[in-house]
Amino acid sequence: MRIILPRSTFILPGWSVCVLCCALFSAQQLHAQAYPTRPIRLVVPFPPGASPNDIIGRLLARPIGDSLGQQVVVDNRAGAGGTIGTDVVAKASPDGYTLLISSTTLTTSPNLYRSLPYDVARDLQPITMIASAPMLVFVHPSVPANTAKEFIAYAKTKPGQINFSSGGSGTVPHFAGEMLNSMAGLKMTHVPYKGGAPASAALLGGEVLVYIDTPTAMMPFAKQGKVKALAVTEKKRFAVFPDVPTLDESGVPGYEMRVWYGFFAPAKTPKPIVARWHEETAKALKTDEVRSRLAILGTEPVGSGPEIFTPLVRSELQKWARVAKEAGINPE
């Protein structure tokens, strides 16, 4: 004999569903109020040193940790253009104790690898855009060019003979160089290094002749004459180097690239914890010490929340997919 139970046996009444949702939300709020109760790991997916991600991450770790009452421990997990460290966070427990600092590279690298162990849009929760910075085209002093126009003319006479460095395949400097190749009709050769520090050291030592990156690490060397800054990658000039023209006004119309830095959490991290981390970041970005240090690095504080940062990250994923296709960059 088959017994059929009433349908209501399996469906919670509407008021019960509301009570359950309120209970879950209250539990998240209580968890966020108690958060954090132990040290927080901030994963930097690049080596320590010249990487702006590492510099900015360490700059903010102390004031945020002081405000939260727990230490923020920087954990450098370098390799594969930032994908190794990113994967650590993407697979971490969504409890707010393992976070990521990354940059525009997060949205360019998916175009370099046929299969990543994570999906940026699915597995990561953008928290806040920390800051943004322009990029500059730096060349070795031995290059017989003092302007971007002169360099482009020179590079066209040396197809395949001029190398440009980056902190790894899929990083923003890599895409910046490939974009310049595509839009200016050049054939520079990409040489990937294991991080920004060796990439910039390669330029200083003359191993490569070109390096396109933010001014974070290279600005002091440009001021000392150890490298030449030939162009800015934005459509407006950089206040620190007001005499350096943009690529757009140097014969590469439409060229525009700006780097952003941001904090990310694993997907499904409770919203109150995401909001708390954004709040603490915004607070730290308002301090004179942090703002002055960022200014020295040629970086502007932002502090926007997830409601602004999340759609920006998704639009950047689409943008760099188009750029990769136009530049003929094929996934490895």
Side-chain angles (χ1 to χ4, degrees), residues 70-315:
Q70 290 289 342
Q71 185 180 10
V72 177
V73 181
V74 174
D75 182 8
N76 293 89
R77 294 294 187 94
T83 62
I84 291 176
T86 302
D87 189 43
V88 169
V89 178
K91 290 181 169 58
S93 175
D95 55 13
Y97 289 96
T98 302
L99 302 176
L100 172 75
I101 180 170
S102 193
S103 61
T104 310
T105 293
L106 184 70
T107 55
T108 59
S109 59
N111 300 289
L112 266 291
Y113 302 94
R114 292 190 184 277
S115 102
L116 287 173
Y118 56 85
D119 182 284
V120 174
R122 182 194 64 212
D123 298 328
L124 293 171
Q125 167 62 58
I127 298 175
T128 176
M129 185 196 293
I130 303 166
S132 66
M135 301 180 76
L136 286 91
V137 179
F138 298 102
V139 300
H140 190 266
S142 64
V143 173
N146 293 311
T147 67
K149 286 184 177 180
E150 291 176 357
F151 170 73
I152 291 170
Y154 171 72
K156 285 182 176 180
T157 68
K158 304 283 183 179
Q161 299 177 49
I162 295 178
N163 295 338
F164 73 93
S165 62
S166 81
S169 294
T171 58
V172 182
H174 175 202
F175 262 67
E178 296 293 1
M179 265 183 66
L180 185 57
N181 272 341
S182 176
M183 296 180 70
L186 307 182
K187 292 184 179 180
M188 298 186 297
T189 301
H190 175 228
V191 181
Y193 288 81
K194 294 182 178 180
S200 56
L203 178 66
L204 291 168
E207 294 176 22
V208 299
L209 295 181
V210 185
Y211 182 43
I212 305 175
D213 202 2
T214 60
T216 307
M218 301 306 299
M219 192 158 53
F221 300 113
K223 290 184 175 181
Q224 295 166 18
K226 294 181 179 179
V227 298
K228 292 189 283 190
L230 297 188
V232 179
T233 63
E234 284 193 300
K235 288 189 176 180
K236 63 178 182 179
R237 295 197 179 195
F238 183 35
V240 178
F241 293 105
D243 296 330
V244 177
T246 67
L247 279 173
D248 182 71
E249 61 184 302
S250 300
V252 193
Y255 192 107
E256 186 172 20
M257 189 175 248
R258 187 176 181 86
V259 179
W260 49 257
Y261 307 94
F263 285 132
F264 295 81
K268 299 182 180 179
T269 298
K271 289 183 178 179
I273 289 179
V274 171
R276 178 76 186 280
W277 192 264
H278 167 230
E279 177 187 332
E280 296 297 343
T281 303
K283 187 192 302 182
L285 289 173
K286 291 178 182 177
T287 63
D288 291 339
E289 179 184 358
V290 170
R291 294 181 76 86
S292 62
R293 289 283 302 279
L294 288 176
I296 292 172
L297 298 173
T299 305
E300 300 174 358
V302 179
S304 57
E307 72 285 351
I308 295 175
F309 193 30
T310 300
L312 181 137
V313 170
R314 294 183 183 240
S315 67

